[in-house]
Amino acid sequence: MKLNLLTPIALGFSCFTALAAPATANPPQDIGIQVGIVQRFGDRSADTLTLKANPGDRLTVRFNTNNKLQTLTAQELKLETAMQKLPQPVVEERVVFSTHRSFETAEDQAQDWKSQGIEVEIAQPERWQVWAKRDVYNTPLLRRLLLRSLQAKGIQTARIETKVVREVPRPTWVLDGFRYTRDVIDISSGSGVVQVDRATDDHPNRPFGGALRIQPNAYGNYTLVNFVGIETYLRGVVPHEIGTWAPQPVLEAQAVLARTYALRNLRRFVIDNYQLCATTQCQVYRGLDGAAPSTDRAIAATRGLVLTHQNELVDALYSSTSGGVTASFDDIWHGWERPYLRAVIDSANPVWDLRSRSLSDEGNFRAFINQKKGFNEDGTNMFRWRYPVPLAQLNQELRDYLKAVRHPFANFKTIRNIQIQQRSEGGRILKSAIVTDAGTIKLEKDDIQTVFDAPASTLFYLDPIMENKVLKGFVFVGGGFGHGVGMSQFGSYNLGRLGWTSDRILRFYFPDTQLQPFNSSITLWRDRTSEQQASN
């Protein structure tokens, strides 16, 4: 997938709705992106969004009436959702193949289904899911035939989810004494800034650059999408992802990664007709709220720069704290190898040699976790941690998980053991097992974090809590916070304080990569399904 700077997607245009794209006031070559800033408008009763222009400015509101574009102006627009009864109940169905903690794992599963000739799409109703493509398997008969063919092959995880819909939410507002109800509404302002306030939100009147659109999504409600230039978008990402007080080279490294990540991940929400979200499932984005001189300088200093490997954007991943060693991509997720995302000891000094003391060995791993000096993250809150958890709590967390995934052991009585069965070279858990009275549940990679609340990363070991030879719980002992892949933000702070430049920091965490200005020859992302088919 390549991005031409002159294509509709680059300029922020939507090709899937009746309205033209909202006008945006982007600087030249400031690539337009589409960010879902309120992903589920209408999922609450009496949901309300108030959009305001700055003092002295006006909103322009555009929508279709009888296939003709209608334009209104106002200083403020209060959008509500009203439930509208359908003339006849509608049965909605979808075939769900799997549910996942991350987009990366969901995408890998989706590509596996595609390699078998099954058309799929990735959704995020709550957690990430892989669905059979709805416009292909578009009748009850086709969906059931698909399910039966899978069951005949021994695949029991796929399921059909069915609900009867009798009413739907519709966006509505009153302006100049008239009430309007429309499914697609474009909102812009003369200054290019709109204030957004969602009722019950903790952050009223948050300013967003660019323009906005209310549009339907795949879940029966609506999304407020921000059409914004990527350099403006970064002003709402960098300060919230890394802080404003970090050394300038660290802020510059974060700006490069945030820009690269955004362009690399424009495919995440194809099912909903936008590109990125504003949460930690993408990058935290809060509009112009919190933009600061220090982060603005870093964005300007790196304007247009991206990180590449063989002229393809890298997966520009980062997390709070590595725990002293970064994770390779396939330590955490399934998918093809990213050679630039590998285990790196997070220290400016040679404190540990992975070649001679691999952390796949349990003894080495425990020694590593108990070494607390010499790393970039020394003294930070989540560098090392220890969490004792009573058995009753672990039982409940496992029970909730098994019920959610409809596992046959969901009615187990108690956990008898939790085993770490395999680690990667960098110490991350690859395979684990939970032994219960009903049987053993096998887990892979970060699945164990989905089951249990305690571990802040997959870089940990377990010790049983025994009382009179009776199991009472487990202690989780580990390090790091987040997935640990790519740049450690707290680790980079230390490198910045040591005087490292932004490009040196990036080379440290992303070996064998190149920093270059973004241009239309760079591949954003490449679908490797055909390569996987050939290798099989």
Side-chain angles (χ1 to χ4, degrees):
M1 178 181 177
K2 291 189 177 180
L3 183 63
N4 188 315
L5 294 176
L6 300 180
T7 60
I9 194 172
L11 297 172
F13 283 74
S14 169
C15 303
F16 304 100
T17 57
L19 296 179
T24 58
N26 298 332
Q29 296 187 350
D30 190 4
I31 300 165
I33 60 174
Q34 304 164 24
V35 187
I37 57 174
V38 177
Q39 289 181 275
R40 302 289 182 270
F41 180 56
D43 65 344
R44 314 170 182 176
S45 59
D47 211 350
T48 304
L49 270 174
T50 302
L51 310 177
K52 298 178 183 178
N54 286 333
D57 197 7
R58 301 280 288 178
L59 298 178
T60 299
V61 183
R62 297 188 298 155
F63 51 92
N64 279 334
T65 300
N66 298 324
N67 294 320
K68 291 184 179 180
L69 182 64
Q70 186 170 353
T71 302
L72 304 174
T73 63
Q75 207 283 323
E76 177 179 310
L77 183 68
K78 184 178 181 180
L79 289 168
E80 302 171 314
T81 52
M83 298 306 296
Q84 184 177 89
K85 288 188 176 181
L86 299 175
Q88 297 290 333
V90 174
V91 177
E92 291 187 355
E93 285 191 336
R94 59 194 181 212
V95 179
V96 180
F97 290 122
S98 53
T99 302
H100 304 278
R101 177 182 173 88
S102 67
F103 171 83
E104 287 78 8
T105 301
E107 184 173 61
D108 179 68
Q109 285 293 299
Q111 291 182 319
D112 185 54
W113 288 112
K114 286 172 66 177
S115 70
Q116 299 177 50
I118 298 173
E119 291 294 322
V120 297
E121 53 192 350
I122 299 172
Q124 193 203 21
E126 290 180 2
R127 295 173 64 199
W128 293 99
Q129 292 185 332
V130 180
W131 295 355
K133 200 164 188 179
R134 292 161 300 159
D135 61 0
V136 174
Y137 303 96
N138 55 8
T139 68
L141 177 60
L142 285 174
R143 290 188 285 270
R144 280 153 181 80
L145 287 174
L146 172 62
L147 201 62
R148 288 173 193 168
S149 70
L150 296 175
Q151 291 170 346
K153 297 176 182 178
I155 299 171
Q156 303 296 327
T157 54
R159 66 184 186 274
I160 294 177
E161 292 185 352
T162 304
K163 69 175 180 178
V164 178
V165 179
R166 293 181 170 83
E167 58 181 8
V168 295
R170 298 286 306 283
T172 183
W173 73 97
V174 174
L175 202 60
D176 298 331
F178 293 93
R179 178 168 291 279
Y180 300 88
T181 302
R182 299 291 187 276
D183 290 329
V184 180
I185 311 156
D186 285 339
I187 306 101
S188 59
S189 74
S191 66
V193 176
V194 179
Q195 306 276 344
V196 176
D197 183 6
R198 189 181 192 185
T200 73
D201 196 313
D202 294 334
H203 302 280
N205 299 325
R206 178 170 283 165
F208 285 87
L212 303 173
R213 171 176 287 170
I214 285 282
Q215 62 185 44
N217 57 39
Y219 318 106
N221 42 57
Y222 295 81
T223 298
L224 180 65
V225 179
N226 184 199
F227 289 70
V228 62
I230 194 167
E231 303 299 323
T232 302
Y233 161 80
L234 294 177
R235 298 184 66 200
V237 172
V238 177
H240 302 293
E241 285 287 3
I242 195 79
T244 59
W245 55 86
Q248 196 66 19
V250 175
L251 297 180
E252 291 176 8
Q254 180 68 64
V256 170
L257 292 180
R259 183 183 296 109
T260 306
Y261 181 97
L263 292 172
R264 174 76 165 173
N265 284 277
L266 298 178
R267 66 195 186 281
R268 285 197 169 215
F269 293 92
V270 170
I271 195 171
D272 296 314
N273 190 28
Y274 58 95
Q275 296 164 336
L276 296 167
C277 63
T279 71
T280 54
Q281 287 294 328
C282 300
Q283 299 183 115
V284 174
Y285 169 57
R286 295 178 181 169
L288 299 176
D289 189 21
S294 59
T295 49
D296 283 351
R297 285 194 298 271
I299 295 163
T302 64
R303 183 181 177 89
L305 292 179
V306 292
L307 201 61
T308 64
H309 179 260
Q310 296 180 352
N311 213 42
E312 179 178 350
L313 295 181
V314 303
D315 284 294
L317 298 164
Y318 52 90
S319 63
S320 163
T321 313
S322 71
V325 57
T326 66
S328 70
F329 183 91
D330 54 7
D331 284 355
I332 307 299
W333 303 294
H334 295 279
W336 63 88
E337 182 186 9
R338 277 76 164 174
Y340 52 85
L341 291 175
R342 55 181 183 259
V344 174
I345 295 298
D346 201 354
S347 173
N349 302 305
V351 296
W352 192 280
D353 184 1
L354 284 176
R355 290 172 296 182
S356 61
R357 301 177 71 189
S358 171
L359 300 183
S360 61
D361 176 83
E362 192 67 19
N364 287 345
F365 178 77
R366 288 181 176 239
F368 179 85
I369 290 297
N370 287 294
Q371 181 171 328
K372 301 177 182 179
K373 296 294 182 182
F375 298 93
N376 286 326
E377 300 164 346
D378 286 5
T380 59
N381 288 338
M382 299 302 292
F383 174 57
R384 293 286 181 262
W385 41 260
R386 184 180 185 275
Y387 301 127
V389 186
L391 187 60
Q393 181 178 335
L394 296 172
N395 282 336
Q396 188 58 54
E397 290 173 357
L398 177 59
R399 195 169 289 115
D400 291 344
Y401 168 79
L402 295 178
K403 287 179 179 178
V405 299
R406 303 184 183 185
H407 195 283
F409 295 165
N411 293 320
F412 79 98
K413 292 180 181 178
T414 189
I415 294 171
R416 292 178 175 170
N417 198 8
I418 305 174
Q419 303 169 338
I420 307 303
Q421 298 181 325
Q422 183 183 353
R423 294 187 184 277
S424 70
E425 180 190 18
R428 305 284 164 169
I429 293 171
L430 299 180
K431 292 182 180 180
S432 56
I434 305 171
V435 182
T436 74
D437 60 287
T440 300
I441 297 101
K442 295 183 178 181
L443 303 172
E444 292 189 356
K445 302 186 179 184
D446 64 347
D447 288 344
I448 197 165
Q449 287 184 275
T450 305
V451 178
F452 298 125
D453 290 340
S457 73
T458 57
L459 196 71
F460 68 91
Y461 64 84
L462 289 150
D463 281 331
I465 301 172
M466 306 297 292
E467 187 176 305
N468 298 322
K469 297 184 179 180
V470 176
L471 181 65
K472 293 294 183 178
F474 284 88
V475 181
F476 294 77
V477 184
F481 183 69
H483 51 67
V485 182
M487 187 179 80
S488 161
Q489 292 170 310
F490 276 107
S492 70
Y493 279 24
N494 185 58
L495 298 178
R497 287 191 292 266
L498 292 174
W500 286 34
T501 61
S502 58
D503 58 339
R504 187 180 178 189
I505 292 171
L506 292 170
R507 288 197 306 271
F508 176 77
Y509 287 111
F510 299 84
D512 303 322
T513 59
Q514 298 79 43
L515 186 64
Q516 62 174 308
F518 181 76
N519 62 79
S520 58
S521 74
I522 294 173
T523 299
L524 275 69
W525 176 82
R526 184 158 52 93
D527 187 344
R528 288 165 168 81
T529 305
S530 58
E531 297 173 22
Q532 290 176 327
Q533 288 174 320
S535 65
N536 292 335

